[in-house]
Amino acid sequence: MKEEQLIDALGKIDDAFIAESNPFAETGPSVVIQGEAKRETKMSSPRRRRNMFLIAVCAVLLLSSIAAYAAGGVKGLFRILRENGTDGDGTTTVEYTTIEDVKIPMSAFHGEIKNAPKEIKKQYDDFLKLPEMQRFASSKLPTSLYKSFATVDEALDYIGYAGMVYPNLEYPKERIGIEIQGYSPVDAELSEQGSMLSSEYEKAKAEEEYSLEMFTLMVDMKYDSASDCFCQSWATFFTENAGPLCSTRIGLSEKAKLATEERTAGGRTFSLLHVEEPDSGKKLLFTDVFLTEDNIVFTFHITYSEDNRAEAETVITQWMNSFRAR
Amino acid sequence: MTDAELTDLYQNRDEAAISATAARYQGMLMRVAMQILNDREDAEECVNDTYLAAWDAVPSAVPAHLGAFLCRIARKKAIDRLRNNTRKKRQAQEYAVSLEELSEVFAGDSSPERALEETLLTEAIERFLAEQTAEVRKLFLGRYYWFCPVREIAQSCGISEANAKTVLFRTRRKLREYLEKEGFMS
């Protein structure tokens, strides 16, 4: 096919063209094409959120005070950490941390997820059989697992957590999956990648048993097919192997504008974070909504433009009102 | 770590090069691969292959732009994987649509037997791109090199989606005329 030849020929163009046009670059070199000095636009797009454990907190600014533990009260708080860069490339990190201990014992999960530790163990054993360089080059740790599902009900059955509520938003689901983080004492102790190659570490890993640290059910949806705006609904479960504090972290640029609020809907109180990220003269807008209930951290993430801000608000309200018992 | 320091690690055959590269570029390379493959597992394997290919390539070919160099490898690996993949999976929509749009460049060509010399074609495309404005290059390559949705590219250029589509249409037509003049079409 000729258009395939064009695609292949485009693939060999000079690096300068690639660097100039890269939409995924976080920082850029200066590139000169045909005498025109062009500084690559820095894309300050929000980084994809990852659930993380809070290991150390320094220079924390509390955004909201801790509410009472009364039924319906806010059960989490936002912390903001700003690090200024030398060339506008600093960062802003927002963490939502649960106040109460939300860890769930593994015995409370009755679905097939009980077998995930064995899968992770096998995955790690297979990883050890790879040539050394391939292990080094691996883009993900062999102690995490991702499971895809056709429906949300299948995913919830896989978890098998009795008596929980779940938000049931009726928009086309683009992707449904559970990201599972395995736990091993050896990983916690020897976290530097270099040490992963030592024979002592390998021997320890080969002999140990695995458990689960945490897992997140993630549902991606598109709520506006015309504008490509999307939303994501997450439910995070922390097990007894999780660290002392359970938090969700969001990475932003140093110029991100933030606003928080609390809203009540359906008898529940939600914490909201509104973000405006400047990006090449335009704005990236999104809102994250948090709720902690049944020891589960529910998060809703929605992106929008100025044009469909009202529609996004409607979807947020729908999500908040969609919690149903399973 | 800067690109220069990273490149030094490769040239000194220091195995820390790969983990350092992953720390800096993994997110970007995953996005490049996902745009084409739309499958997380495939994209992760593609990114793994990219690191190994970079390890093999760098001592003899020191890149001026390490990020661009890695993206080029990741893009090619992803396209090759997509073409060779015989498993049932959904093809990345943007790749398929981009391909369809580019077929206009060759529509009506009366010599389907002509074998396009890839190197000559690449050089011709580079000359064509050098004559365009930076915004046109960004739109054109954003669509046909990076396979981004038109809306995203339009937003990054600060123009409407309709404008972006018009620019792409005109650029495809100009590319066709340019390649005809250069003798690639007949």
Side-chain angles (χ1 to χ4, degrees), chain A residues 22 27 71 73 89 97 116 123 140-141 171 209 226 304 311 320:
Chain A
N22 188 348
T27 59
D89 60 352
T97 304
Q123 189 171 267
K140 68 168 186 179
L141 283 175
Y171 286 101
E209 290 300 317
Y304 47 92
E311 187 177 353
M320 292 194 294

Side-chain angles (χ1 to χ4, degrees), chain A residues 42 82-92 252-255:
Chain A
K42 178 173 182 296
R82 289 208 192 253
E83 294 180 18
N84 292 324
T86 52
D87 190 24
D89 60 352
T91 58
T92 302
L252 305 165
S253 76
E254 70 172 20
K255 294 181 185 157

Side-chain angles (χ1 to χ4, degrees), chain A residues 237-251:
Chain A
F237 302 75
F238 296 93
T239 76
E240 67 262 42
N241 301 309
L245 287 173
C246 304
S247 63
T248 297
R249 181 178 285 181
I250 304 165

Side-chain angles (χ1 to χ4, degrees), chain A residues 3 32 93 111 125 129 139 141 145 177 179 230 250 295 298 314:
Chain A
E3 49 273 25
V32 178
T93 305
D125 288 343
K129 291 172 190 159
S139 61
L141 283 175
L145 200 61
E179 190 162 293
F230 71 94
I250 304 165
N295 280 17
F298 295 99
T314 301

Side-chain angles (χ1 to χ4, degrees), chain A residues 139-186:
Chain A
S139 61
K140 68 168 186 179
L141 283 175
T143 50
S144 66
L145 200 61
Y146 181 81
K147 294 284 199 185
S148 294
F149 299 90
T151 67
V152 171
D153 278 335
E154 278 181 28
L156 290 171
D157 285 343
Y158 176 81
I159 296 170
Y161 186 49
M164 61 177 280
V165 294
Y166 191 78
N168 186 23
L169 205 55
E170 294 290 341
Y171 286 101
K173 313 286 191 290
E174 300 222 309
R175 191 170 85 143
I176 303 169
I178 299 178
E179 190 162 293
I180 303 169
Q181 184 60 49
Y183 171 80
S184 77
V186 181

Side-chain angles (χ1 to χ4, degrees), chain B residues 29-168:
Chain B
L29 295 176
M30 277 297 293
R31 285 204 64 182
V32 170
M34 281 295 291
Q35 284 294 124
I36 297 167
L37 294 165
N38 200 27
D39 181 277
R40 183 184 161 107
E41 275 183 38
D42 272 358
E44 284 178 349
E45 286 180 22
C46 174
V47 170
N48 277 347
D49 292 342
T50 300
Y51 296 140
L52 290 173
W55 176 261
D56 289 337
V58 171
S60 55
V62 180
H65 302 284
L66 183 61
F69 172 75
L70 292 168
C71 283
R72 178 206 302 284
I73 299 174
R75 180 185 182 274
K76 178 141 192 352
K77 295 253 174 230
I79 290 174
D80 288 346
R81 183 176 279 266
L82 184 67
R83 287 171 181 167
N84 294 332
N85 206 332
T86 56
R87 280 180 290 159
K88 264 190 191 178
K89 81 178 38 170
R90 186 161 53 107
Q91 187 179 18
Q93 184 65 22
E94 296 305 330
Y95 177 85
V97 174
S98 304
L99 212 59
E100 206 175 295
E101 288 168 6
L102 280 180
S103 67
E104 290 174 16
V105 178
F106 296 95
D109 185 2
S110 60
S111 59
E113 300 304 313
R114 180 178 176 128
L116 292 175
E117 287 287 344
E118 202 168 274
T119 304
L120 292 175
L121 181 57
T122 300
E123 288 170 0
I125 292 171
E126 285 177 343
R127 289 193 296 274
F128 171 78
L129 289 174
E131 289 174 9
Q132 312 307 311
T133 63
E135 181 179 89
V136 167
R137 279 197 294 271
K138 192 170 180 181
L139 281 167
F140 187 80
L141 293 174
R143 185 74 181 135
Y144 304 118
Y145 185 92
W146 301 102
F147 305 111
C148 290
V150 177
R151 182 172 184 85
E152 269 183 32
I153 315 162
Q155 275 184 345
S156 71
C157 291
I159 63 175
S160 72
E161 188 174 345
N163 273 351
K165 285 181 178 172
T166 303
V167 170
L168 286 171

